[in-house]
Amino acid sequence: MDDLLADFVAETREMLEASGGEIVAWEADPSDRARLDTIFRFVHTVKGNCGFFDFPRLEKLSHAAEDALSECRAGRREADNALVSAVLAIIDRISEMTDAIEAGEEFPEGGDDKLIAALQGSDDIVVASAVMPEAEPANDQHAGEADNDEGSDIESSAPKPARAQAVQRSIRLPVDLLDEVMKGVSDMVLARNDLSRRLREAGEQPTIDGPFDRLSTILADVRAAITRMRMQRLEHLFSSLPRLVRDLSNELGKQVMVDFEGGEVELDREMIEMVRDPLTHIIRNAIDHGIEGPGERLKNGKREIGLLRFAARQAGNQISLVVSDDGRGIDTDRLADKAVAAGLYSRSEIDRMSDRRKHMLIFEPGLSTANEVSSVSGRGVGMDVVRANIERVGGSIDVVSKPGEGASFHLKLPLTLSIIAALTVGAGGQRYAIPRSYVEEIVFGSSSNVEFATAGDRRLVTFRDKRVPCLALGDILGIDEIDDAEWDSKTLVLIRLASDDVFALAVDRVFDHEDVVVKPIAPAVMETRLYAGTTLLDDGRPMMLLDLPSIATNRLHMGEGRTTEVVEEEVVEKGRKAVPIMLFAGLDDRKRAVRLDMVRRIDTVSREAIDIEGNRAQAVIDGSVFTLLGLEFGELPKDRCRLLRLTDGESEVVYAVNEVLDAADMDGEVIPSQDDPLIEGVTLVGDSLVPVLDGHALFARQRVQRRTDDVLSCRIPGDSDWARTILEPLVEAAGYRIAADDGEDADVEIQLAEIAQPEQSAGARSVIRLTQDPDNAGADGGTIYRYDRDGLLAALKQARLGRTA
Amino acid sequence: MTDLLLQCLVAGRHAAIPASDVQSVIEIEEITPIPGTPDFILGLTALRSQALTVIDCSLALGLDKTVAEDDQRAAVVEVEGHLYALLVDAAYDVGEALSQPVAVPGGFGAGWQRAARGMVETESGPTLLIDTSSLIAGPMEEAA
């Protein structure tokens, strides 16, 4: 509400400023019709706004002025000087009251009636003269400011000038200007990236790097601020709805209340404008078809007044907006009849549909459940247009309906028009972006769960018992012919269109998730019907955004209402809390599972990125080093290795697998297993037993090696080069800290047999003796040959156990 | 007549683009191809944070593609809110038009005729004045 109030104040001010000059001119020539109209509009608008905000005094004043002025306009009254003065006095009073409202103060009582009386042309000259002295200088001020383009506030007539400083000022700007600034900032970011690359190439330069970092930070802040500038609260959209609802319900003889929630959610201004029409249509639809007349409602045991609820929530980069009514719900049968009558579906197709699917019929073109075309809805613009519009801005719409209880429309909208979450994929050596909202799943063509088949020329892919058509991106774009053999090497992106159609898009590679800024493309490129826009990569190179719905329509005749039977009926039965797990084949090709929550992503790296040496196995992914696990089951593949990146929320490890098989729900029990410490237990997936990795154990093992506090210390001979350069790293790798010289108590001491010991120095709880001569090993109760790595590590481990035991 | 023209070489012929249409002349370094588009659309190139659609003028006129030189120069024009880079063989100076564009009896030859506004006199002799928006539409219109 505060926001709206600020708007009211700003608008009133703006009008006062604009009409400042008019007022003076009108005063000079009271018969000037154009001036009169302007001033009339001003008081009229103020009156309208006051009614909305419940400012009875303001309303009364503006109402009186409006009455008097309309008399003049109608020619029933002559605009004499007395009237002009009285109107001016009222306008000044409005200005003062507006200031008071903004400052949150009470305007001193009284005086209003006298002002209003002055309008009546009574000869109460005292009042007029009492007001005039204050009014006139103020008018001059107005005129002066109207000429001034900067047009700031008009506090001059405010009785307490000190208050003006506390007022939060706002200005209105054309959106074009904002866009231009935003574009400038984007350019700056690109220039910065370029500069940063050059600086990196030039090596470290402390005198430049510091200021450059500062510049980067400032730029990031500016960018965030500019983005915020484009945001507007949903309240702005909501505020226009009560009136619409009122008008519509009056027209239709219904009574409807509105309820808003989440007006503070912010959305891109342009996005607000884009959803205004679809939302209006949904409202029309709800009031016209959904909410019953008062009589019918009472008969059904509902309140006489229908309720229309708007609830908005922000979830990450998306806004969800739910419009629900408590009317009769969607008449599924009639909808189905219409669909059959319109020839969209056959009766048998309809019969096979679930209720949910039938509800979605409302979005099919050419359907309207209203029997007669009313003036409100059903005038040829159907819900199909609503859906098309919502989808055009990258959103989606869904409907849920319960007979007799009402229907609700769920809109999901991206935060801004221009930034979308995208998946970047590669084909023919180039990158393309796919809006992430379409991506359902990504599978590897080589996975054993994926089967390719052909029917005629159409390639089909079967995945998880679903057979869907498969398109190769290279083929669609005409850059790549694919041999049968090549399919295995592709990555399949399963695309679910808004119409619920699913198809698989085969690409060479999936790169990354990225938020991209989408820009429009030239009409000649649009004509290909392959692309929806273009975007720039970080390095400034352009990348095309694929237009999946249109590709699907052209290649598969999908979407556009003609839905195939792939539509998955929702699995309703959600028995016990099912835990999602990922099934994979380990290096030994045995099937195992890991809890899906632990899997952060799946990486495919080349064999060179993996380094295994002794007990240490690490993999390099995107410049970071991860500990590699899962090697105990077999050899790594020779060329490319598939790694699961697992996380416990803080640290990450990678787990080598041969293949990622499937995702499944683990709804059965996990039968604990004692034998294998890395296995949490086994569970039943389908008909087979699958061992489930013990995340705890995986990461626990990790921690032992990384632990820095409370490590055992080990003293090594300080005067031996061999000990320092060769032994020390080994001991450290085994989890020991090298003890400082002599003074400290060490947990373990390593002695070299060949070097004379300076008698037992500070205490060590156990001693390991090493010898240079393999033949001497074993003698003397546990002397170890110095290159007997296993023996040495075993001894160190023994020492550790000895202590922790 | 004080119309300024950007004089350039297209398909080996002298041609001119109204300088008022041209935002700048750039050297194109890298072009990202857009598969599926007509030949004359070479792809996209980035100018600061904007993507330009690169049009090969010779191909757009329905003529043979000329051999690409090392520095590929292009005139940046805006048509209906979209930015295009018109790739020319060579871009010369901006000169004054010394006459109104006039038609030449018999036309300018296939291809040229469609995208030409007429012939203008310049200091370096008669030059064909190119109409940017019909150039950008490409040779397809004739086929349709």
Side-chain angles (χ1 to χ4, degrees):
Chain A
M1 201 63 176
D2 283 350
D3 211 31
L4 282 177
L5 204 56
D7 260 10
F8 165 71
V9 171
E11 196 189 0
T12 311
R13 282 251 170 79
E14 213 167 80
M15 283 189 301
L16 272 170
E17 261 167 57
S19 53
E22 306 284 329
I23 291 170
V24 178
W26 187 50
E27 194 179 19
D29 180 10
S31 61
D32 189 332
R33 252 325 266 271
R35 310 269 184 253
L36 178 62
D37 286 350
T38 312
I39 295 163
F40 176 77
R41 270 199 301 277
F42 168 66
V43 286
H44 178 76
T45 313
V46 172
K47 190 192 83 170
N49 288 344
C50 292
F52 189 75
F53 282 104
D54 191 27
F55 291 136
R57 288 180 65 196
L58 264 185
E59 189 179 358
K60 211 164 138 199
L61 282 172
S62 46
H63 186 75
E66 188 193 1
D67 275 352
L69 290 173
S70 68
E71 291 275 293
C72 293
R73 276 161 53 111
R76 283 194 291 272
R77 188 170 166 185
E78 201 63 29
D80 54 14
N81 273 335
L83 177 69
V84 173
S85 302
V87 169
L88 289 181
I90 283 184
I91 289 176
D92 281 337
R93 180 59 68 92
I94 290 173
S95 163
E96 286 165 30
M97 282 185 168
T98 311
D99 291 342
I101 288 166
E102 186 173 30
E105 294 169 11
E106 278 295 313
F107 192 77
E109 283 289 329
D112 295 355
D113 293 339
K114 287 183 184 171
L115 289 175
I116 291 168
L119 279 176
Q120 309 309 321
S122 70
D123 44 14
D124 194 355
I125 301 163
V126 189
V127 177
S129 61
V131 177
M132 287 308 289
E134 199 185 2
E136 270 184 326
N139 287 341
D140 293 339
Q141 194 70 29
H142 290 174
E145 284 197 3
D147 292 335
N148 182 353
D149 273 347
E150 297 206 6
S152 63
D153 294 337
I154 37 159
E155 308 289 351
S156 49
S157 61
K160 297 175 198 162
R163 201 169 55 200
Q165 265 69 44
V167 167
Q168 190 190 12
R169 301 187 176 200
S170 67
I171 52 167
R172 289 176 182 228
L173 291 173
V175 174
D176 284 352
L177 183 62
L178 282 183
D179 284 343
E180 208 167 294
V181 176
M182 187 120 168
K183 210 169 79 187
V185 172
S186 303
D187 281 349
M188 276 201 287
V189 171
L190 284 176
R192 189 212 75 92
N193 290 350
D194 193 26
L195 189 60
S196 131
R197 204 169 52 235
R198 280 160 208 242
L199 283 177
R200 254 202 322 276
E201 280 163 12
E204 240 172 71
Q205 298 166 64
T207 49
I208 297 177
D209 289 352
F212 179 75
D213 283 347
R214 223 173 74 221
L215 178 75
S216 304
T217 322
I218 295 168
L219 200 50
D221 288 350
V222 171
R223 200 183 190 187
I226 299 271
T227 313
R228 242 184 19 244
M229 272 191 205
R230 292 177 51 88
M231 299 302 230
Q232 205 169 34
R233 283 169 165 235
L234 260 182
E235 258 169 14
H236 290 265
L237 179 60
F238 285 172
S239 62
S240 65
L241 299 181
R243 177 68 196 272
L244 176 76
V245 170
R246 194 198 74 89
D247 288 357
L248 282 175
S249 41
N250 273 2
E251 198 176 319
L252 295 162
K254 293 175 183 179
Q255 290 175 340
V256 184
M257 270 187 330
V258 275
D259 182 26
F260 297 106
E261 194 188 307
E264 74 284 351
V265 172
E266 289 191 327
L267 203 56
D268 191 292
R269 278 169 231 268
E270 274 178 78
M271 184 62 80
I272 287 191
E273 289 313 310
M274 295 299 278
V275 297
R276 195 182 286 273
D277 281 354
L279 207 57
T280 309
H281 197 85
I282 292 175
I283 294 169
R284 285 176 196 281
N285 207 62
I287 298 178
D288 199 7
H289 305 320
I291 291 173
E292 315 89 330
E296 192 183 337
R297 288 184 67 89
L298 283 175
K299 211 166 64 194
N300 293 336
K302 294 183 183 177
R303 280 181 64 184
E304 202 175 344
I305 305 172
L307 180 67
L308 202 53
R309 269 185 61 98
F310 299 85
R313 249 181 311 116
Q314 178 173 359
N317 260 343
Q318 272 201 330
I319 301 285
S320 92
L321 180 61
V322 181
V323 184
S324 44
D325 64 62
D326 63 347
R328 57 172 81 92
I330 294 175
D331 189 338
T332 350
D333 292 336
R334 207 157 70 194
L335 202 56
D337 290 345
K338 287 260 177 181
V340 175
L344 290 173
Y345 291 97
S346 69
R347 177 53 70 182
S348 62
E349 274 178 316
I350 294 279
D351 288 344
R352 265 180 287 144
M353 285 181 184
S354 64
D355 272 356
R356 217 186 113 58
R357 184 73 193 83
K358 282 183 194 160
H359 290 153
M360 297 304 279
L361 285 174
I362 199 171
F363 297 118
E364 303 270 343
L367 281 186
S368 173
T369 52
N371 278 329
E372 293 153 39
V373 174
S374 71
S375 67
V376 176
S377 56
R379 53 178 102 184
V381 188
M383 293 299 284
D384 57 318
V385 179
V386 171
R387 181 167 81 172
N389 283 339
I390 298 278
E391 279 172 12
R392 211 177 54 217
V393 297
S396 66
I397 186 168
D398 196 2
V399 63
V400 177
S401 165
K402 280 191 191 145
E405 286 176 40
S408 54
F409 288 89
H410 297 250
L411 281 76
K412 285 218 171 66
L413 303 166
L415 261 189
T416 68
L417 271 180
S418 45
I419 299 178
I420 64 158
L423 185 74
T424 48
V425 300
Q430 239 182 287
R431 286 191 189 202
Y432 299 91
I434 297 174
R436 199 155 74 204
S437 51
Y438 290 114
V439 178
E440 174 150 281
E441 204 164 350
I442 299 169
V443 281
F444 292 103
S446 56
S447 161
S448 64
N449 279 29
V450 175
E451 278 172 38
F452 291 99
T454 42
D457 285 337
R458 167 72 59 226
R459 193 160 285 274
L460 299 167
V461 58
T462 311
F463 175 67
R464 212 178 289 152
D465 299 328
K466 250 177 355 190
R467 179 166 295 153
V468 296
C470 181
L471 295 174
L473 183 55
D475 193 29
I476 295 170
L477 302 177
I479 46 176
D480 228 359
E481 288 284 313
I482 299 190
D483 297 331
D484 284 1
E486 277 185 73
W487 284 93
D488 281 357
S489 68
K490 300 282 175 194
T491 303
L492 300 178
V493 182
L494 288 183
I495 306 286
R496 180 180 290 272
L497 299 172
S499 54
D500 261 0
D501 288 314
V502 178
F503 72 95
L505 187 71
V507 298
D508 292 350
R509 233 195 112 174
V510 170
F511 287 100
D512 209 351
H513 292 302
E514 240 172 293
D515 285 338
V516 296
V517 178
V518 181
K519 306 235 163 128
I521 41 174
V525 181
M526 272 312 246
E527 266 170 36
T528 60
R529 306 199 59 196
L530 294 172
Y531 310 104
T534 177
T535 177
L536 294 179
L537 291 167
D538 275 349
D539 60 1
R541 272 182 307 148
M543 169 172 70
M544 301 304 290
L545 178 76
L546 296 174
D547 184 355
L548 292 173
S550 139
I551 288 175
T553 314
N554 294 336
R555 294 295 181 125
L556 300 164
H557 306 288
M558 270 183 172
E560 306 274 303
R562 295 272 52 200
T563 318
T564 51
E565 287 305 307
V566 227
V567 176
E568 256 184 317
E569 306 299 357
E570 249 176 280
V571 188
V572 191
E573 27 173 326
K574 285 229 173 86
R576 287 187 299 156
K577 45 173 175 98
V579 182
I581 52 172
M582 175 183 272
L583 298 173
F584 62 89
L587 293 179
D588 55 354
D589 269 332
R590 273 183 53 88
K591 200 192 261 188
R592 290 189 185 77
V594 60
R595 286 169 190 265
L596 197 57
D597 289 342
M598 264 169 59
V599 183
R600 202 172 148 240
R601 54 185 281 182
I602 301 166
D603 290 295
T604 305
V605 300
S606 68
R607 181 62 180 78
E608 289 93 70
I610 294 176
D611 192 34
I612 302 175
E613 205 176 32
N615 285 345
R616 180 185 65 85
Q618 281 160 327
V620 180
I621 302 168
D622 296 338
S624 304
V625 180
F626 298 91
T627 304
L628 179 63
L629 302 172
L631 296 170
E632 60 269 37
F633 299 114
E635 284 288 305
L636 280 168
K638 282 194 184 56
D639 41 1
R640 284 151 74 79
C641 307
R642 207 145 279 172
L643 305 174
L644 304 183
R645 201 190 285 186
L646 308 177
T647 177
D648 64 351
E650 280 171 20
S651 51
E652 293 182 357
V653 298
V654 289
Y655 195 93
V657 300
N658 263 356
E659 200 180 343
V660 174
L661 300 172
D662 202 354
D665 279 335
M666 176 169 71
D667 38 17
E669 275 175 70
V670 178
I671 305 145
S673 131
Q674 296 295 332
D675 300 336
D676 189 341
L678 291 182
I679 297 295
E680 182 182 336
V682 288
T683 190
L684 209 54
V685 176
D687 292 328
S688 53
L689 274 176
V690 179
V692 182
L693 291 189
D694 187 340
H696 188 265
L698 284 178
F699 284 98
R701 209 159 67 152
Q702 242 3 71
R703 292 197 77 86
V704 171
Q705 292 176 7
R706 293 243 178 97
R707 200 169 58 189
T708 49
D709 52 336
D710 190 29
V711 284
L712 301 185
S713 58
C714 174
R715 180 173 318 112
I716 59 170
D719 47 3
S720 159
D721 284 344
W722 180 85
R724 264 208 317 280
T725 55
I726 297 178
L727 183 61
E728 190 178 307
L730 178 72
V731 171
E732 278 183 334
Y736 284 84
R737 178 171 61 78
I738 302 300
D741 282 337
D742 306 333
E744 184 186 337
D745 266 3
D747 294 297
V748 183
E749 173 159 1
I750 296 179
Q751 297 175 354
L752 299 180
E754 281 73 15
I755 295 176
Q757 289 303 319
E759 85 264 12
Q760 203 81 335
S761 52
R765 294 173 62 246
S766 56
V767 176
I768 300 169
R769 289 178 65 83
L770 299 181
T771 170
Q772 277 177 357
D773 187 350
D775 294 338
N776 288 347
D780 201 6
T783 304
I784 301 164
Y785 172 45
R786 56 149 72 163
Y787 287 114
D788 180 0
R789 185 189 177 90
D790 290 345
L792 178 56
L793 286 175
L796 284 168
K797 197 174 173 190
Q798 191 64 44
R800 178 198 299 281
L801 292 176
R803 182 188 129 153
T804 43
Chain B
M1 277 310 298
T2 51
D3 277 357
L4 292 176
L5 302 173
L6 173 71
Q7 298 178 335
C8 51
L9 199 64
V10 174
R13 307 294 163 89
H14 282 280
I17 302 171
S20 54
D21 290 357
V22 179
Q23 296 190 348
S24 57
V25 175
I26 56 168
E27 272 179 33
I28 294 185
E29 287 165 10
E30 198 179 344
I31 298 177
T32 308
I34 316 174
T37 48
D39 283 350
F40 70 93
I41 296 178
L42 296 181
L44 293 176
T45 193
L47 172 66
R48 298 197 296 278
S49 68
Q50 289 162 312
L52 312 180
T53 310
V54 186
I55 306 266
D56 185 305
C57 287
S58 309
L59 290 175
L61 292 169
L63 305 171
D64 287 341
K65 184 172 170 49
T66 42
V67 190
E69 289 173 32
D70 284 345
D71 60 328
Q72 301 196 81
R73 290 211 167 181
V76 178
V77 298
E78 185 174 334
V79 179
E80 284 166 10
H82 296 284
L83 287 170
Y84 296 88
L86 305 179
L87 199 63
V88 294
D89 299 353
Y92 307 119
D93 274 347
V94 172
E96 244 173 62
L98 302 175
S99 74
Q100 293 281 0
V102 290
V104 167
F108 304 108
W112 290 104
Q113 185 63 41
R114 189 182 46 79
R117 266 196 224 163
M119 189 195 72
V120 288
E121 288 295 337
T122 66
E123 280 167 9
S124 51
T127 303
L128 215 58
L129 186 63
I130 290 178
D131 180 61
T132 41
S133 44
S134 24
L135 180 78
I136 281 156
M140 293 197 305
E141 274 177 16
E142 287 170 317

